[in-house]
Amino acid sequence: MPFNFQVTPSGFPNCHVFQCSQDGGITLDVFLAESADGGQTFTNCRVTDNSFNPNGNSPVPVVTIGNFIDVTIVPNNGFFAVWTDALSGFQQIYGSDGT
């Protein structure tokens, strides 16, 4: 799956947002991997509240859903992530600041 990586100035965290399946099935979740030590180690945090089927209600696989994902760093060591999610049955744009 495609991912996005936000590199920040020294002293700020590096963030990587990605979609993956944690249950071994087709459903996906969005995760944020954050590093405070220049990428030596990362801590993963689940961003989505619910897993979603990337195909939604579509009878054919939606192979590009992971192409529409991004993250940006905001003041005070925060982030804002956006992604395409099919939790509603249709592809929609979702976003989170991790709270």
Side-chain angles (χ1 to χ4, degrees):
M1 290 252 157
F3 61 89
N4 190 297
F5 191 74
Q6 178 74 42
V7 178
T8 58
S10 179
F12 292 91
N14 293 321
C15 293
H16 166 91
V17 64
F18 60 98
Q19 294 172 328
C20 72
S21 176
Q22 292 293 303
D23 65 5
I26 192 170
T27 60
L28 297 176
D29 284 292
V30 175
F31 286 86
L32 176 85
E34 187 173 41
S35 176
D37 60 9
Q40 296 296 314
T41 60
F42 284 87
T43 302
N44 289 335
C45 150
R46 183 178 176 194
V47 177
T48 48
D49 292 327
N50 297 296
S51 301
F52 63 94
N53 180 335
N55 300 320
N57 294 333
S58 174
V60 296
V62 179
V63 296
T64 60
I65 194 165
N67 292 348
F68 309 108
I69 190 167
D70 204 358
V71 63
T72 191
I73 303 300
V74 295
N76 298 322
N77 293 333
F79 73 92
F80 194 82
V82 293
W83 65 94
T84 305
D85 191 319
L87 185 60
S88 68
F90 303 95
Q91 289 189 18
Q92 294 180 319
I93 297 172
Y94 286 77
S96 176
D97 63 1
T99 58

